[in-house]
Amino acid sequence: MTCASDAAAVAFDHAVAGYLTYRLDTAARVKACLAVDPDFCLAHVLRGYLTLAAFNLATVPAAREALALAKTAAVNATAREQAHVAALEAWVDGRLDELLARWEAIVARHPTDVLAFRLHHFNAFWLGRPEQMLAVVEATLPHWELGLAGRGAVLACRAFANEECGNYTVAENSGREAIALDPGDIWATHAVAHVMEMQGRRSEGILLLRDLEPHWQGGNNLKHHLWWHRGLYHLEREEFDEVLALYDKGFRNLGSPIVEMQPDLYIDVQNAASMLFRLQLQGVDVGDRWIELADKAEGRIGDCLNAFTLPHWMMALVHTGRYQAAEAFLAGLEAAAAGSDTIAGLVRLYALPISAAVLAHGRGRYQEAVELMRPALGGMYRLGGSHAQQDVLEQLFTDAAAKAGSKSDVLMMLERIAGRYPVPPENRIGYRHSATLVA
């Protein structure tokens, strides 16, 4: 690296370690690094990367500022560092296909550049490209010798990439290997939790998360997502009071320092909205929990940086009866869909029709919801999100089809679900009733 001192290099490593392990103080670590060396090119790049990783349109100016400082500092930087600057510029400008290609090129030349590797994993996931996640991690892992710092993070990514590609044995083994290296590895725990969700190992999943929870101290919002996963296990067991308790004290936990820092962070919104929606499909009274989400949704109209979050914002607006705001939200999606960048295509083909289907479903226009959503089903995974996260959209379609009396559409979705989950649809809470319609 090109930096002013060994102290600056150590501070940068500390910041990258914070990112890899989902530490709440990662931004403070980056700030401390720049205090040691204000002209540190890669530190400015890291600040820009982390700013954009929040998927919040309001923070893009700060990322542009970081990019400008990185460019100034890159005059004497190495080719690898300059490649990172170019990647940051592609991300700022929304050129996401180019972004992934630039990180792939860095990793091909420098297989242990864990920052390029991990950011590629992150963004490929949110673009619905598990095949790229898997290809990069399998090509990279042989370069990570036993004992090399960062190996656990690579193993955790290997676990999740394999899980999303249906390779559950490899996924679980890699995840457990990473957990053995660090019981506080939240991403590795997350990957194993996904395996258990897909395989219907609910009791085992609850025990896994309960036993590892003490190691999550100092973690950021991703630990909320682990509580959400635990909530999914309890939901399948029809333990609705436990789910609501996890919502209030775990993965939403209003008033906690983490939520106060980023009250509308994409992953927290997805956790909350998708769980409330699932509960309501089961006839559970969720009280006024939708209101604070809807308040925040109104403030994010026109912000489409994370396409998968968009139907979740719409759920909050619909379930609080804010139909005028919902129409404005759709207008914002239409404006975004008119663009030419990567996200515009995702919004146009998937986020817009699915969000419109959420609105139609909420208004009781079930056949309309089915017609809106059906053409998007085949490529819906391109919105990003895991199988477990996308499942709420599949439940939406199934419920609409069942209420519209469209047995053919119900059957189509049940076949789709059966092809992905080892657990039969009739043994999953979101599909039991619909399965009886076509039995």
Side-chain angles (χ1 to χ4, degrees), residues 261-411:
M261 287 172 64
Q262 294 179 305
D264 56 356
L265 188 68
Y266 66 97
I267 187 68
D268 285 343
V269 171
Q270 295 164 11
N271 294 337
S274 67
M275 188 59 78
L276 294 181
F277 189 85
R278 286 176 168 93
L279 286 167
Q280 289 199 176
L281 287 182
Q282 300 307 314
V284 177
D285 182 0
V286 301
D288 61 1
R289 292 176 177 85
W290 282 111
I291 294 175
E292 60 96 10
L293 295 173
D295 290 344
K296 294 173 178 61
E298 291 200 44
R300 297 294 289 271
I301 291 174
D303 185 345
C304 300
L305 291 186
N306 185 271
F308 183 64
T309 310
L310 299 172
H312 297 79
W313 284 128
M314 180 60 85
M315 289 175 187
L317 295 173
V318 168
H319 287 280
T320 51
R322 303 186 191 189
Y323 298 124
Q324 185 174 356
E327 295 291 351
F329 191 86
L330 287 180
L333 299 192
E334 289 170 355
S340 57
D341 59 14
T342 308
I343 292 297
L346 296 176
V347 172
R348 182 169 56 253
L349 294 173
Y350 310 114
L352 177 56
I354 293 170
S355 296
V358 173
L359 177 57
H361 180 273
R363 285 179 155 172
R365 302 202 296 258
Y366 302 117
Q367 187 60 43
E368 179 184 341
V370 170
E371 298 294 338
L372 283 165
M373 198 168 174
R374 190 190 297 118
L377 292 176
M380 188 168 68
Y381 68 96
R382 290 298 187 193
L383 286 175
S386 65
H387 298 311
Q389 290 171 300
Q390 287 246 339
D391 185 68
V392 73
L393 302 181
E394 292 167 329
Q395 287 194 33
L396 164 70
F397 181 85
T398 308
D399 187 71
K403 289 175 177 173
S406 179
K407 290 187 178 181
S408 61
D409 284 305
V410 171
L411 179 61

Side-chain angles (χ1 to χ4, degrees), residues 50 102 132-133 252 275 280 378 403 427:
L50 297 181
R102 287 190 177 279
Q132 285 183 258
M133 294 163 58
R252 195 56 189 150
M275 188 59 78
Q280 289 199 176
K403 289 175 177 173
N427 292 339

Side-chain angles (χ1 to χ4, degrees), residues 99-437:
L99 173 67
L100 292 183
R102 287 190 177 279
W103 281 327
E104 287 173 10
I106 293 173
V107 173
R109 295 188 184 95
H110 309 276
T112 56
D113 186 325
V114 74
L115 183 59
F117 165 80
R118 188 62 183 82
L119 284 161
H120 178 278
H121 182 84
F122 173 80
N123 277 273
F125 171 63
W126 287 115
L127 291 171
R129 302 182 188 183
E131 72 286 354
Q132 285 183 258
M133 294 163 58
L134 185 59
V136 172
V137 73
E138 295 298 347
T140 301
L141 184 61
H143 299 275
W144 289 86
E145 301 172 1
L146 291 173
L148 186 62
R151 177 179 165 84
V154 177
L155 286 169
C157 291
R158 186 184 192 225
F160 187 59
N162 274 280
E163 181 277 325
E164 285 299 291
C165 290
N167 307 322
Y168 299 129
T169 300
V170 175
E172 183 166 357
N173 288 345
S174 296
R176 289 192 181 277
E177 186 178 349
I179 293 168
L181 291 172
D182 175 12
D185 190 324
I186 296 178
W187 193 246
T189 300
H190 166 257
V192 177
H194 268 278
V195 172
M196 293 178 176
E197 168 67 23
M198 297 301 291
Q199 295 182 331
R201 295 157 60 187
R202 296 145 193 170
S203 299
E204 193 176 354
I206 291 169
L207 290 174
L208 173 83
L209 297 183
R210 186 195 66 189
D211 291 346
L212 289 174
E213 183 176 338
H215 299 283
W216 305 342
Q217 295 299 317
N220 66 11
N221 302 67
L222 190 62
K223 67 182 183 181
H224 297 169
H225 188 60
L226 292 180
W227 283 314
W228 176 82
H229 272 281
R230 184 171 168 181
L232 288 181
Y233 301 138
H234 287 290
L235 180 70
E236 289 291 344
R237 297 186 349 173
E238 299 187 46
E239 296 165 353
F240 302 132
D241 288 344
E242 184 66 28
V243 177
L244 289 172
L246 281 164
Y247 184 101
D248 292 336
K249 300 175 184 177
F251 61 84
R252 195 56 189 150
N253 197 11
L254 296 178
S256 74
I258 305 178
V259 174
E260 287 299 317
M261 287 172 64
Q262 294 179 305
D264 56 356
L265 188 68
Y266 66 97
I267 187 68
D268 285 343
V269 171
Q270 295 164 11
N271 294 337
S274 67
M275 188 59 78
L276 294 181
F277 189 85
R278 286 176 168 93
L279 286 167
Q280 289 199 176
L281 287 182
Q282 300 307 314
V284 177
D285 182 0
V286 301
D288 61 1
R289 292 176 177 85
W290 282 111
I291 294 175
E292 60 96 10
L293 295 173
D295 290 344
K296 294 173 178 61
E298 291 200 44
R300 297 294 289 271
I301 291 174
D303 185 345
C304 300
L305 291 186
N306 185 271
F308 183 64
T309 310
L310 299 172
H312 297 79
W313 284 128
M314 180 60 85
M315 289 175 187
L317 295 173
V318 168
H319 287 280
T320 51
R322 303 186 191 189
Y323 298 124
Q324 185 174 356
E327 295 291 351
F329 191 86
L330 287 180
L333 299 192
E334 289 170 355
S340 57
D341 59 14
T342 308
I343 292 297
L346 296 176
V347 172
R348 182 169 56 253
L349 294 173
Y350 310 114
L352 177 56
I354 293 170
S355 296
V358 173
L359 177 57
H361 180 273
R363 285 179 155 172
R365 302 202 296 258
Y366 302 117
Q367 187 60 43
E368 179 184 341
V370 170
E371 298 294 338
L372 283 165
M373 198 168 174
R374 190 190 297 118
L377 292 176
M380 188 168 68
Y381 68 96
R382 290 298 187 193
L383 286 175
S386 65
H387 298 311
Q389 290 171 300
Q390 287 246 339
D391 185 68
V392 73
L393 302 181
E394 292 167 329
Q395 287 194 33
L396 164 70
F397 181 85
T398 308
D399 187 71
K403 289 175 177 173
S406 179
K407 290 187 178 181
S408 61
D409 284 305
V410 171
L411 179 61
M412 177 181 68
M413 182 54 71
L414 293 179
E415 291 172 343
R416 172 189 173 99
I417 296 301
R420 182 183 306 124
Y421 284 79
V423 181
E426 58 268 23
N427 292 339
R428 298 183 60 218
I429 193 170
Y431 302 97
R432 284 179 202 151
H433 174 68
S434 299
T436 63
L437 298 178

